[in-house]
């Protein structure tokens, strides 16, 4: 990443960190908001990644502190965003389409929401019941079908930039 891009990322992180300030003017952020912070920046970190960020922050303050100085949060999150740049890009439409087609061996153009929900709860980093329900409420039609070409297009480009 170019130095000017790193500076832009640092400013973006700083602007976002201020939004999550514990109390206005306190210059402190609740460590439990770190996952939210990274998501607001347009990235969907894994639980392991969030735990790693929290662990780094916990190593910078007294044991048991849940409020972190803005400067520490800015430093750790910016380093994470810069270091993970290549891994943080969204999958493109064609990659998502191939993944959905793996669940549609008959080539019907749709998969059933319950089929995807079962996979989301058991494969990779499993989603919670609530997370899966929210995702499927957006993805599925009234009959419980997910027309994955449309959904892949929405997932690949939702208006946010990383």
């Amino acid at each position: 990443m170019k130095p000017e891009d790193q500076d832009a990322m640092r400013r973006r992180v700083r602007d976002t960190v201020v939004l999550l300030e514990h109390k206005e003017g306190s210059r402190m952020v609740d460590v439990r908001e770190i996952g939210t912070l990274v998501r607001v920046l347009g990235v969907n970190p894994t639980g392991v990644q969030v735990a790693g960020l929290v662990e780094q922050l916990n190593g910078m303050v007294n044991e048991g502190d849940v409020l972190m100085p803005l400067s520490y949060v800015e430093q750790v999150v910016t380093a994470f965003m810069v270091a993970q740049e290549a891994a943080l890009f969204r999958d493109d439409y064609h990659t998502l389409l191939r993944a959905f087609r793996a669940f549609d061996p008959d080539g019907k153009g749709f998969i059933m929401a319950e089929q995807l929900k079962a996979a989301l709860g058991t494969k990779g980093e499993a989603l919670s019941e609530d997370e899966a329900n929210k995702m499927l409420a957006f993805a599925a039609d009234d009959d419980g079908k997910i027309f994955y070409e449309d959904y892949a297009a929405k997932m690949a480009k939702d208006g946010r930039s990383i």
Side-chain angles (χ1 to χ4, degrees):
M1 181 178 268
K2 298 177 194 171
E4 59 269 14
D5 293 339
Q6 288 181 4
D7 290 340
M9 178 63 74
R10 190 174 295 108
R11 283 191 303 276
R12 201 166 146 227
V13 170
R14 183 180 307 125
D15 292 345
T16 306
V17 167
V18 170
L19 294 174
L20 295 173
E21 196 172 16
H22 177 64
K23 290 182 183 173
E24 192 172 336
S26 71
R27 309 222 17 100
M28 302 294 275
V29 175
D30 189 320
V31 72
R32 295 169 289 199
E33 296 292 336
I34 299 305
T36 301
L37 168 64
V38 176
R39 288 180 191 95
V40 168
L41 289 165
V43 177
N44 294 315
T46 65
V48 171
Q49 289 172 317
V50 172
L53 291 169
V54 170
E55 186 176 314
Q56 276 184 279
L57 287 164
N58 284 335
M60 300 171 86
V61 296
N62 295 325
E63 190 174 330
D65 285 354
V66 294
L67 296 179
M68 305 290 158
L70 257 60
S71 59
Y72 292 0
V73 174
E74 178 185 330
Q75 176 186 345
V76 169
V77 173
T78 299
F80 170 76
M81 298 290 285
V82 169
Q84 298 293 321
E85 179 187 20
L88 298 177
F89 287 105
R90 294 182 201 291
D91 287 325
D92 67 15
Y93 170 76
H94 298 288
T95 301
L96 294 167
L97 203 55
R98 281 193 303 274
F100 281 119
R101 284 184 177 149
F103 290 98
D104 182 21
D106 299 331
K108 298 177 285 190
F110 66 88
I111 57 176
M112 297 305 296
E114 286 303 315
Q115 178 187 8
L116 183 58
K117 184 177 181 179
L120 292 173
T122 59
K123 305 288 185 205
E125 185 170 335
L127 293 182
S128 71
E129 179 87 13
D130 186 52
E131 290 169 325
N133 287 338
K134 286 179 182 175
M135 183 191 128
L136 295 174
F138 176 75
D141 68 7
D142 293 337
D143 297 326
K145 294 178 182 175
I146 299 172
F147 291 90
Y148 52 81
E149 287 186 11
D150 296 333
Y151 190 55
K154 289 177 187 176
M155 289 176 65
K157 184 175 182 173
D158 71 354
R160 293 183 296 174
S161 62
I162 296 176

